[in-house]
Amino acid sequence: MEKPEYNQAIVRSFVNWSIVWGLVAVLVGVIVSFQMIYPDLNFPPYLTFGRLRPLHTNAGIYGWGVGTIFALFLYIVQRLCKTGLWSNKLASFQLWFFNATIIAAAVTLLLGYTTSKEYHELEWPIDVMVVVLWVAFAINIIMTIIKRKEEQMYISLWYMMAAIVGVAILYLVNAAAVPVSLFKSYSAYAGTNDANVHWWFGHNAVAMALTAPPLAMFYYFLPKSTGVPIYSHRLSIISFWSLIFMYLWTGAHHLLWTPVPDWIQTLAMAFSVMLIAPSWGSVINGYLSMNGQWQQMKENYLVKFLILGITFYGLQTLQGPMQAIRTFSAFIHYTDWIPGHIHMGTLGWVSLIAFAGIYFLVPRIYGREVYSIPLANLHFWLVVVGQLIYSVSLWVAGVMQAGMWNAVNADGSLTYTFMETMVEMYPYWWARAVGGVIYLAGVLVFIYNIWMSVRKGQPATATATATAAAGSAGRA
Amino acid sequence: MWEKRPVLLLILATAAILVGTVVTMVLPFVWVNTEADRIASVTPYTPLQQEGRDLYIREGCNNCHTQTVRPLVTEVLRYGDYSKSGEFVYDRPFLWGSKRTGPDLARLGGKYPDSWHYKHMDSPRSMVPRTNMPDYAWMKTNLLDPEMVRRKMQVLGFPYTEEQIKALVGKNEIDALVAYLQKLGSDIPWRVATQATMVGELKNPFVRDHQAMEEGREIYKKNCASCHGEHLDGDIAPPLNGLTQTDAALFETLYNGLPAGGMPGFASLGASKIWQVVSYLKYHDHEKGQH
Ligand code: HEM
């Protein structure tokens, strides 16, 4: 019985708290989507669109995204290493410091303390907190891996370690600033340099926080939920190394046609297109693992979450490279198309994998079976439909907007004034808000289901405990 | 083998991450913001402007507004000359943005008179009825902190004078914001450079054409009423109900604007629409409200 040495309590707390922040993120998302339709919903000074939108993105990426990374990694690392955490004290510190950081982030953003850099808005004192938090997490994961009882490190651990160093480098470099006061600092880089450093960070935050960690989870939870191993180990190796090598070249695809030197833009464009290969390496590996097991899509709700999740990842990594091509970027950059892209990634890919991971964990961390599979299915359909309404309506909106911005009359003058194009967006913004409300309903069903599992779920069966004890996943 | 050695894996992963990082992120520092892309006429922000910029950041205006004009035909037509690297050397942080819920502001400076901005910041919907830009009237009640601004100028290393700091006393946040907005993109003389000189005879193709005057009225409502008043009786700009200029002179005014007086140019509307407005202004009977 090696069970007692696993630290389940910390996983449980991280799951609970990341769900709280996930709910905040979705709720604030719905609020800002309505502010875009009804500007009267701005309540200055704290609750205006300009301050709430960063709160939404930060709660989503750092509260829900990083929160679930902490929760699921702390679980996975113990299982794959067949040993408890290196330090339970450090993990407890990490938990309360995580919540303190998210609360400090939320409060300061509402107070207007912001650097304005997208996904890196937090001012320097909170940056320091984020760094401490990440170091605490990194040490615990790496030390646990070092003292592991299983010689071979499974794929998930590679992605985890890459994410740990990747985030550290990106965050530190982009955070460089000179403080003026406790809540105001100026970037260490100016103008075009600042833009280039920032989007090197920005795109690789996507790589190291919203791609590598969910891939680590996917590679663990897919074999765990289905009982089938990952199709090809060699494909995993190739896609891992090429993914982490190529991502770093692509930041400037957010800056096409701007004053950033052309050759950087061209490199970014080329590497973005090449990124399709490693991205789809994982997608295909996931699909082929399911060969002969596709009936599980019907029988096993976890598989639905995981396979739809990786499917959205596949679509995301085709759409992304397309957006990274100069001619296409000229058209859709700055339009509503982009939030459509983002939310297929965050609501579709990242969140579906996190939901699957949490459902998988319920019997193992709460000792209770999931309360209701039909509710889990309802949750699945609400979030998938909500997200599709969101993304599809904004893709249509973006194409229309781009078309109108670029329309010219026979004499070479512009066909539409800015406002003539802007008012056409309202119906689509409505559709997006409706999609958001449906997604929120899905999240509420999820929370209810987890809550009821804890309160009224059947005691966890032997299978759950048995798989829990079985150790590493797949062919590792 | 790296699959069994975590430290080796960490080192290899770091190396893989650093290659692209060094080439596309570190290396550009050799060229960007050097003499090569310096523009002599670009100056640092004054204390008032810098404070305005920090307020723009505080309020997250960058969530709806971008600040880079790309070298694309329609974009230059809509916003003005495309952005150059040398124009941003004093920007910490950069504010290029990623989403145009509202229009690009990189070339805003000099487009409108200050009075337009005051009114617009107070209540954007009083000027542009269907905009979703929030009201910022509340910022008028917040006064600036001159000593804090001085600290900022020192940290940034920008030149400033005691008079400039003293002048901040009693100024409010909107004063600073407007000063910043008026500086945007105006360090290079692009407005003058793009002024068109009218060649040949300008002849109004519509004159008393009813259809054209009807169209002209609509164009007026959308583009001119916020400054010249719904009924041409003037607001922050002079009334237009007693115009005596020739059609050709009016055309030229509308096409190029009167940059010194705060009247924006409307070349992007195209000649045909401009003539329709000219017809509406000149030949519509504004007193009786009929053509
Ligand atoms: C091969 C992979 C991918 C490529 C090449 C790619 C490419 C791009 C490009 C070119 C943009 C900028 C669009 C513009 O502003 O014109 C963008 C935006 C974005 N993408 Fe992706 N994408 C990829 C995958 C993903 C994934 C998996 C996610 C996960 C959530 C994601 C999340 C985002 C986000 C959050 C933004 C918004 C950045 C902003 O605020 O402007 N992307 N992507």
Side-chain angles (χ1 to χ4, degrees), chain A residues 260-281:
Chain A
V260 165
D262 267 352
W263 62 269
I264 309 178
Q265 299 182 22
T266 306
L267 275 177
M269 187 163 101
F271 273 86
S272 299
V273 174
M274 293 189 312
L275 252 183
I276 296 176
S279 308
W280 271 76

Side-chain angles (χ1 to χ4, degrees), chain A residues 114-116 184-187 189-191 194, chain B residues 45-62 67 87-96 152 156 158 173 175-181 183-184:
Chain A
T114 169
T115 66
S116 86
K184 176 75 197 168
S185 64
Y186 289 113
S187 173
Y189 322 104
D194 196 39
Chain B
Y45 297 96
T46 65
L48 190 63
Q49 290 164 349
Q50 180 61 39
E51 186 58 14
R53 189 168 200 274
D54 289 341
L55 291 165
Y56 183 96
I57 292 171
R58 187 189 75 190
E59 292 315 319
C61 310
N62 55 299
Q67 287 189 21
E87 292 183 82
F88 301 100
V89 293
Y90 299 111
D91 287 12
R92 289 170 196 268
F94 79 111
L95 287 174
W96 294 355
K152 290 178 172 178
L156 287 165
F158 291 168
E173 292 185 342
D175 296 328
L177 201 50
V178 173
Y180 169 62
L181 294 175
K183 153 106 168 164
L184 282 176

